[in-house]
């Protein structure tokens, strides 16, 4: 497995990651897989299927435990920038299948994400301010608040659904987003649109990406 990192001239990384093979059950062939992610940076974990890319990425996102990796003969080490004190702001995941709630509109999905971390958003104190925040988040990922906000997830194209899912990650202030084959199943136009929004997020919001 290889970790390809865009070189960044920043003060310090948002996160430093290292995974060391400790035995025969380890899925990757390297003795060590390590990378650093800087603000606005991008790392791609490359390797054949079954080589542990998803295993490492889900651990970084907090979806598995150190004990889970130890069972696979992997010893992980993660060091986050101390300024990112809230674990919930560290890392999110954009799965191939969206995490949107089908019974809610796109705008309501974003609202739920905002309310989940409301204690981190003291500026949102009224419905008007909340709606303005939802509008800004949707526009950030290339969706139109008036046109797309009232839609149900089932009314969205694949590319639009991926962008709406990105808005959920931004609503939760994720500094790093894991992208699980973000262009899989999309036609060329939709894939190009999602790729453009990802570049926009990196450049304007400093969001860091881990591609698997």
């Amino acid at each position: 497995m290889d970790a390809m990192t865009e070189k960044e001239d920043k003060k310090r990384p948002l996160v430093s990651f290292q995974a060391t093979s400790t035995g025969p059950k380890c899925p990757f062939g390297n003795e060590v897989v390590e990378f650093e992610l800087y603000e606005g940076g991008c790392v791609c974990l490359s390797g054949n299927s079954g080589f542990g890319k998803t295993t490492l990425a889900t651990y970084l996102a907090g979806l598995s435990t150190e004990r889970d990796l130890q069972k696979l003969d992997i010893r992980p080490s993660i060091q986050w920038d101390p300024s990112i004190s809230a674990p919930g702001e560290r890392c999110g995941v954009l799965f191939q299948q969206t995490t949107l709630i089908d019974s809610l509109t796109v705008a309501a999905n974003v609202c739920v994400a905002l309310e989940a971390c409301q204690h981190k958003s003291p500026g949102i104190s009224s419905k008007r301010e909340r709606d303005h925040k939802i509008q800004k988040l949707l526009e950030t990922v290339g969706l139109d608040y008036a046109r797309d906000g009232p839609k149900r997830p089932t009314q969205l194209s694949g590319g639009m659904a991926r962008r709406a899912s990105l808005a959920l990650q931004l609503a939760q202030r994720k500094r790093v987003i894991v992208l699980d084959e973000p262009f899989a199943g999309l036609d060329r136009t939709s894939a190009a649109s999602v790729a453009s929004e990802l570049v926009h997020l990196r450049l304007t919001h400093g969001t860091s990406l881990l591609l698997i």
Side-chain angles (χ1 to χ4, degrees):
M1 186 195 302
D2 297 315
M4 296 179 288
T5 309
E6 287 192 357
K7 298 298 183 181
E8 300 286 338
D9 185 18
K10 302 289 184 180
K11 292 181 179 179
R12 60 186 178 188
L14 293 178
V15 60
S16 300
F17 181 91
Q18 183 181 86
T20 305
S21 172
T22 61
K25 291 186 289 184
C26 179
F28 50 83
N30 316 51
E31 182 178 341
V32 178
V33 173
E34 57 184 338
F35 60 83
E36 293 180 333
L37 263 171
Y38 291 81
E39 183 177 316
C42 182
V43 169
C44 177
L45 293 182
S46 63
N48 294 332
S49 179
F51 273 34
K53 302 186 296 296
T54 299
T55 298
L56 300 185
T58 53
Y59 178 71
L60 176 67
L63 301 180
S64 61
T65 66
E66 183 174 351
R67 182 174 179 82
D68 293 328
L69 268 65
Q70 289 173 344
K71 293 177 181 178
L72 296 173
D73 290 341
I74 301 172
R75 183 173 69 246
S77 173
I78 298 179
Q79 184 174 355
W80 286 94
D81 184 328
S83 67
I84 312 175
S85 57
E89 293 183 6
R90 290 174 176 171
C91 188
V93 183
L94 184 65
F95 295 101
Q96 292 183 39
Q97 299 296 324
T98 71
T99 54
L100 300 169
I101 302 172
D102 288 340
S103 60
L104 299 178
T105 64
V106 171
N109 269 275
V110 177
C111 182
V112 168
L114 283 172
E115 290 176 347
C117 56
Q118 191 171 14
H119 64 286
K120 307 169 196 170
S121 305
I124 302 177
S125 57
S126 69
K127 182 180 184 301
R128 182 176 179 180
E129 292 173 347
R130 183 198 65 196
D131 290 346
H132 178 66
K133 181 66 173 178
I134 293 171
Q135 180 176 352
K136 287 184 62 178
L137 287 166
L138 291 179
E139 291 176 349
T140 295
V141 297
L143 295 177
D144 184 90
Y145 176 73
R147 182 192 65 222
D148 303 317
K151 292 180 179 178
R152 304 283 179 176
T154 53
Q155 296 174 293
L156 302 177
S157 66
M160 292 172 69
R162 299 276 172 92
R163 282 180 275 167
S165 295
L166 276 176
L168 301 189
Q169 301 297 322
L170 295 178
Q172 298 175 73
R173 300 187 178 183
K174 301 298 185 183
R175 303 293 298 277
V176 175
I177 299 178
V178 174
L179 303 172
D180 180 12
E181 298 186 21
F183 311 118
L186 300 181
D187 58 48
R188 180 173 297 184
T189 300
S190 296
S193 176
V194 171
S196 176
E197 296 306 331
L198 292 174
V199 172
H200 174 73
L201 292 179
R202 291 177 58 200
L203 295 178
T204 61
H205 289 261
T207 306
S208 300
L209 307 177
L210 176 64
L211 279 70
I212 58 175

